[in-house]
């Protein structure tokens, strides 16, 4: 694959403000977001309103209520304002939209596709610049059907960025990719986004993509935002049961508070655990990520038993499942532990320790979102 050449240094900060509502079949879409420096990710399950949010920003769909504006430096452009009856046409918004299937024109060459956003002028210097920048040299006369998935994606990005949009919207950009291509293309896209001068917003249902590519994150469920913040902070402390589940936390339990920093996990056979944070009255559940357990021998467990924050978990009647690069261990108390392996290891004898320990700092306190 060709190398992506850096874009020019960012000059004026661009900001996108969105506050919209729209009645859909199963729920009401009610989204408020602000995107500025870095990529904003919208993570959520299929059908939660992620793509509808992007289509509303692009002007493909009209919200029932709300306001959409984009500001660059001191200049603000209103793209949609229901109260003022403003609704700029999609082609006038200067919003780049990367569809899931890239939406390249099948009867146009790479060169012609890139020129499509520049009044079809294949001689425009910007066309050659984009071909070089996105590693498409030698493919100028090829048609989309002759390109690999990665080449199609880079052609679509080149076409969008050629006309210098104020915002770039990416709708599940890797959904059409074979698994072996994704990692290389993620790295290429990450570089592109870091050098892009405008606002970028990406929707995905893949938490790994969100974590790797997005500086800030919104978690969505049934048309509404249930968590928002810097991506790493949202993963570390999602706040609610629903948000923890969206970020991949599979060990979740309702709790009974038995001390200022002590809980009983009702769904883990009444396991008692000490927490690092105070358990407020609003806390109704806890989460533990499957990688966060520490294996201990019986001797090591005896040493830990002397401490109040031992959080020892006897491993009884464990069920082991082998995956190519991980072992999945499910315990009698319904906790689930994940540990790494290599493709060459298949023997599980001696894998399961007598005890596991969970650090108080690794216990995530959660509210339930009624």
């Amino acid at each position: 694959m060709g190398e992506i050449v850096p874009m020019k240094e960012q000059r004026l900060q661009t900001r996108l403000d969105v506050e919209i509502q729209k009645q859909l079949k199963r729920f009401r879409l009610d989204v408020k977001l602000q995107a500025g420096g870095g990529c904003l990710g919208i993570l959520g399950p299929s059908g939660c309103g992620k793509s509808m949010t992007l289509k509303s920003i692009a002007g493909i769909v009209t919200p029932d209520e709300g306001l959409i504006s984009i500001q660059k430096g001191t200049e603000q452009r209103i793209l949609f304002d229901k109260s003022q009856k403003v609704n700029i046409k999609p082609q006038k918004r200067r919003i780049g939209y990367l569809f899931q299937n890239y939406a390249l024109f099948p009867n146009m060459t790479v060169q012609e596709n890139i020129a499509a956003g520049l009044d079809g002028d294949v001689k425009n210097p910007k066309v050659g610049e984009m071909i070089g920048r996105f590693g498409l040299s030698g493919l100028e006369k090829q048609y989309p059907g002759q390109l690999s998935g990665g080449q199609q994606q880079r052609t679509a990005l080149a076409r969008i960025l050629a006309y210098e949009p104020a915002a770039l919207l990416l709708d599940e950009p890797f959904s059409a990719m074979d698994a072996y291509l994704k990692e290389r293309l993620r790295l290429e896209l990450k570089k592109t986004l870091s050098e892009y001068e405008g606002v970028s917003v990406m929707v995905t249902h893949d938490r790994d993509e969100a974590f790797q590519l997005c500086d800030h994150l919104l978690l969505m469920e049934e048309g509404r935002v249930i968590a928002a913040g810097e991506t790493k902070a949202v993963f570390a402390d999602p706040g609610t049961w629903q948000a923890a589940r969206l970020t991949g936390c599979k060990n979740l339990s309702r709790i009974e508070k038995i001390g200022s920093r002590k809980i009983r996990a009702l769904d883990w056979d009444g396991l008692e655990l000490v927490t690092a944070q105070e358990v407020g009255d609003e806390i109704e559940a806890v989460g533990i990520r499957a990688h966060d357990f520490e294996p201990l021998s019986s001797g090591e467990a005896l040493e830990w038993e002397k401490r109040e924050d031992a959080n020892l978990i006897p491993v009884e009647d464990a069920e082991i499942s082998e995956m190519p690069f991980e072992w999945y261990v499910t315990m009698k108390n319904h906790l689930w532990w994940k540990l790494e392996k290599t493709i060459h290891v298949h023997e599980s004898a001696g894998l399961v320790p007598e005890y596991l320990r969970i650090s108080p700092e690794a216990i995530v306190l959660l509210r339930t979102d009624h």
Side-chain angles (χ1 to χ4, degrees):
M1 290 186 185
E3 292 296 321
I4 291 183
V5 180
M7 294 182 75
K8 53 192 174 183
E9 187 177 346
Q10 182 168 331
R11 292 167 296 183
L12 292 176
Q13 179 68 52
T14 306
R15 191 184 77 201
L16 172 71
D17 289 282
V18 177
E19 187 170 359
I20 55 171
Q21 299 84 41
K22 184 174 180 63
Q23 186 61 48
L24 304 178
K25 285 184 179 180
R26 293 192 299 108
F27 51 76
R28 182 172 176 79
L29 181 68
D30 188 353
V31 174
K32 182 177 181 179
L33 66 85
Q34 185 179 95
C39 180
L40 172 68
I42 304 178
L43 175 66
S46 297
C48 74
K50 305 186 304 295
S51 292
M52 189 63 69
T53 300
L54 287 199
K55 289 175 182 176
S56 297
I57 296 169
I60 299 168
V61 167
T62 301
D64 298 334
E65 302 289 341
L67 175 71
I68 302 170
S69 68
I70 194 158
Q71 183 165 337
K72 186 171 184 179
T74 58
E75 179 188 354
Q76 184 184 45
R77 295 174 59 229
I78 304 298
L79 305 182
F80 173 80
D81 186 344
K82 177 68 173 183
S83 64
Q84 299 296 321
K85 297 183 179 179
V86 175
N87 190 13
I88 304 299
K89 293 181 179 180
Q91 58 269 32
K92 300 290 186 180
R93 293 194 178 195
R94 297 195 67 79
I95 301 288
Y97 196 120
L98 184 67
F99 292 89
Q100 292 182 16
N101 62 359
Y102 311 133
L104 294 171
F105 298 110
N107 60 337
M108 289 187 181
T109 64
V110 166
Q111 187 179 46
E112 290 166 341
N113 263 285
I114 296 171
L118 301 167
D119 299 322
D121 181 9
V122 295
K123 295 182 179 179
N124 188 312
K126 198 74 177 178
V127 175
E129 178 188 331
M130 290 292 115
I131 285 172
R133 182 176 174 273
F134 281 90
L136 296 167
S137 298
L139 300 173
E140 293 90 339
K141 304 299 182 182
Q142 299 289 302
Y143 291 91
Q146 299 172 299
L147 303 177
S148 69
Q151 290 165 346
Q152 288 180 28
Q153 185 188 80
R154 284 185 281 141
T155 300
L157 279 168
R159 181 180 67 182
I160 291 168
L161 296 181
Y163 65 88
E164 299 181 349
L168 174 61
L169 310 180
L170 303 113
D171 192 351
E172 301 276 6
F174 303 102
S175 63
M177 289 286 136
D178 292 330
Y180 76 95
L181 275 177
K182 285 186 179 181
E183 182 58 28
R184 173 65 185 270
L185 292 175
R186 281 179 184 172
L187 293 174
E188 289 187 357
L189 183 58
K190 184 176 179 68
K191 185 174 180 62
T192 298
L193 294 177
S194 70
E195 295 158 352
Y196 173 54
E197 292 184 8
V199 173
S200 55
V201 182
M202 184 182 82
V203 304
T204 180
H205 65 272
D206 187 314
R207 66 178 184 275
D208 293 341
E209 288 177 9
F211 191 88
Q212 185 178 22
L213 295 172
C214 304
D215 303 277
H216 295 84
L217 192 62
L218 297 182
L219 302 183
M220 277 186 69
E221 189 168 80
E222 294 194 333
R224 61 196 179 93
V225 176
I226 62 172
E230 291 186 1
T231 299
K232 291 179 181 178
V234 170
F235 271 79
D237 186 11
T240 67
W241 177 298
Q242 292 81 353
R245 182 169 45 79
L246 284 177
T247 60
C249 185
K250 292 184 170 62
N251 290 314
L252 297 165
S253 174
R254 297 164 298 138
I255 67 159
E256 175 188 343
K257 180 180 174 181
I258 55 177
S260 63
R261 296 192 179 185
K262 194 170 185 180
I263 57 98
R264 180 178 292 117
L266 302 179
D267 297 313
W268 301 333
D269 291 350
L271 179 66
E272 294 184 5
L273 296 167
V274 174
T275 66
Q277 297 174 289
E278 293 233 353
V279 183
D281 292 338
E282 77 283 3
I283 301 301
E284 299 175 301
V286 293
I288 298 175
R289 301 211 179 258
H291 285 103
D292 282 347
F293 295 99
E294 176 188 355
L296 298 175
S297 67
S298 57
E300 291 170 324
L302 278 173
E303 289 299 312
W304 273 106
E305 265 184 351
K306 302 170 186 175
R307 296 179 50 166
E308 185 182 355
D309 62 349
N311 286 350
L312 295 177
I313 305 165
V315 181
E316 300 173 344
D317 300 329
E319 294 183 5
I320 303 172
S321 297
E322 181 183 5
M323 302 299 284
F325 304 104
E326 293 170 317
W327 294 105
Y328 293 171
V329 180
T330 307
M331 289 168 268
K332 182 181 177 181
N333 60 6
H334 312 297
L335 281 167
W336 187 69
W337 176 38
K338 185 191 291 187
L339 62 161
E340 294 182 356
K341 63 181 280 293
T342 72
I343 193 66
H344 308 291
V345 173
H346 307 290
E347 179 56 59
S348 63
L351 174 73
V352 179
E354 296 179 69
Y355 290 88
L356 293 176
R357 177 181 182 267
I358 187 69
S359 167
E361 287 75 19
I363 298 172
V364 183
L365 303 182
L366 303 168
R367 306 179 305 278
T368 54
D369 192 1
H370 298 297

